[in-house]
Amino acid sequence: PATSPATTRAPDFSTSFRAAKEQAVAEWEREYVRALLDAHAGNLSKAARAVRMDRNHLREMAVRHKLRSDDT
């Protein structure tokens, strides 16, 4: 599958390595989940199957990143 190139930013040295890494991972995860849901027209079951992920875990990630409400 085609992937978009990673955006490169200057590191923020005003925060710890751990905090910077957590932020980078969270941003990557949010974009991954957003693109995955877009590719499957928002269908959690199809999206989860496509990447061999438990549907509930994908739903939790989508809720965490405010890509989906908690009532689904």
Side-chain angles (χ1 to χ4, degrees):
T3 59
S4 60
T7 56
T8 304
R9 280 189 296 198
D12 177 8
F13 297 121
S14 68
T15 187
S16 70
F17 173 80
R18 178 177 285 187
K21 180 179 176 183
E22 286 173 0
Q23 180 180 354
V25 169
E27 290 172 5
W28 176 88
E29 185 177 280
R30 183 184 196 290
E31 178 57 25
Y32 182 88
V33 172
R34 187 201 60 75
L36 179 63
L37 291 173
D38 284 352
H40 295 280
N43 186 309
L44 280 171
S45 296
K46 288 181 181 179
R49 268 194 302 272
V51 295
R52 296 178 299 281
M53 179 187 294
D54 181 77
R55 181 193 175 282
N56 286 325
H57 183 63
L58 179 57
R59 181 187 55 77
E60 290 167 359
M61 290 171 66
V63 168
R64 179 180 331 129
H65 293 292
K66 297 179 174 67
L67 299 171
R68 196 162 189 98
S69 66
D70 201 9
D71 61 357
T72 55

